[in-house]
Amino acid sequence: MELKYVGDMPLVSQHGVSFDHLQTDKYIYLHAVLELLEALSYGPTETTQHLYKSEHKELNPSELLARLKKYVKNLDEVYAQREQKAKELVDDLVHRVEGNESLTEDEKKAWLNNIKIMTDYYLQYVTNKSVYEAALDALADEVHNAKVQKVSIPMFRNYGIVLRDLQKVLENRKSPIDSSVVVTSTPEGIVGTMEFYHR
């Protein structure tokens, strides 16, 4: 498996390729979710409140993957499924182009060729997204297993986005965990405090 930044989700047409900036490459959130995994992976404990301080170190893609593998036990399964997910994405795009009656044959050919050119890009985009989702699931498991009640983190380097995504994962668990986030300004900077309400 390889992790690397590719960029936002491509928008392919008969005219070329642009990018959907609302569908960012999840690679940019992997450092933040890894640091939270490392901070909260201690199992059951008497301590339920945590203040996390970032190490401010950027990892190269292979270091990032190696460290994620310590916490995300199903990465091999994620890797095995990524090609199928990317194939389904590309097949859906191809099907929509082939079924579009408003396009000329030349437009269809150009559009399909642009999709083909972007196939490897789609594969990496799906890989990054799948690894991020698996890391969020692992983080949700850590919150559950340790019965974490509160964690405070600096609101930079995408931590806020990771917390928002984590809230969605926690809400959709078999045994949902409600949560709330409060953002405050401190002398050290802006801090987000997330509280978890275990049932």
Side-chain angles (χ1 to χ4, degrees):
M1 179 188 304
E2 182 183 14
L3 291 176
K4 65 180 178 181
Y5 178 77
V6 286
D8 299 333
M9 174 66 120
L11 296 172
V12 180
S13 72
Q14 70 270 34
H15 305 296
V17 179
S18 60
F19 297 90
D20 183 349
H21 302 302
L22 297 176
Q23 295 191 60
T24 56
D25 182 353
K26 301 301 184 193
Y27 180 88
I28 64 174
Y29 308 130
L30 287 175
H31 284 89
V33 75
L34 171 64
E35 288 189 6
L36 288 170
L37 270 168
E38 290 176 334
L40 297 176
S41 294
Y42 46 74
T45 178
E46 294 298 317
T47 304
T48 57
Q49 297 187 32
H50 306 275
L51 175 62
Y52 178 61
K53 295 194 179 203
S54 168
E55 61 182 57
H56 302 292
K57 182 185 175 194
E58 282 298 316
L59 303 172
N60 68 43
S62 59
E63 290 172 326
L64 182 60
L65 181 60
R67 283 170 67 170
L68 279 167
K69 282 183 176 180
K70 294 178 186 176
Y71 305 99
V72 186
K73 303 304 181 195
N74 65 336
L75 275 186
D76 290 334
E77 183 182 324
V78 168
Y79 183 72
Q81 293 173 353
R82 77 190 178 107
E83 288 191 28
Q84 182 60 34
K85 286 182 179 179
K87 182 181 183 311
E88 288 170 6
L89 174 64
V90 170
D91 287 350
D92 180 58
L93 293 171
V94 167
H95 179 71
R96 284 195 273 159
V97 170
E98 290 175 342
N100 190 334
E101 301 295 330
S102 66
L103 297 171
T104 67
E105 285 306 311
D106 285 343
E107 287 174 322
K108 284 184 182 181
K109 186 176 178 182
W111 199 331
L112 293 171
N113 190 47
N114 288 336
I115 292 171
K116 184 178 179 183
I117 289 168
M118 296 304 290
T119 299
D120 287 342
Y121 187 107
Y122 283 121
L123 180 60
Q124 190 62 54
Y125 181 89
V126 167
T127 299
N128 295 346
K129 181 178 179 187
S130 298
V131 170
Y132 176 65
E133 289 170 350
L136 281 175
D137 286 338
L139 184 56
D141 288 343
E142 295 297 343
V143 167
H144 171 77
N145 293 340
K147 298 286 189 255
V148 176
Q149 293 180 7
K150 186 186 291 187
V151 63
S152 296
I153 59 171
M155 294 301 284
F156 65 96
R157 292 188 62 209
N158 297 314
Y159 292 115
I161 292 168
V162 170
L163 289 183
R164 183 199 64 211
D165 291 345
L166 176 61
Q167 280 186 300
K168 293 175 191 168
V169 172
L170 292 169
E171 288 168 6
N172 293 317
R173 286 176 60 90
K174 200 171 191 178
S175 298
I177 299 173
D178 294 326
S179 60
S180 64
V181 178
V182 175
V183 178
T184 54
S185 182
T186 71
E188 293 80 33
I190 298 175
V191 172
T193 300
M194 188 169 190
E195 292 194 51
F196 305 97
Y197 310 105
H198 299 268
R199 298 179 185 186

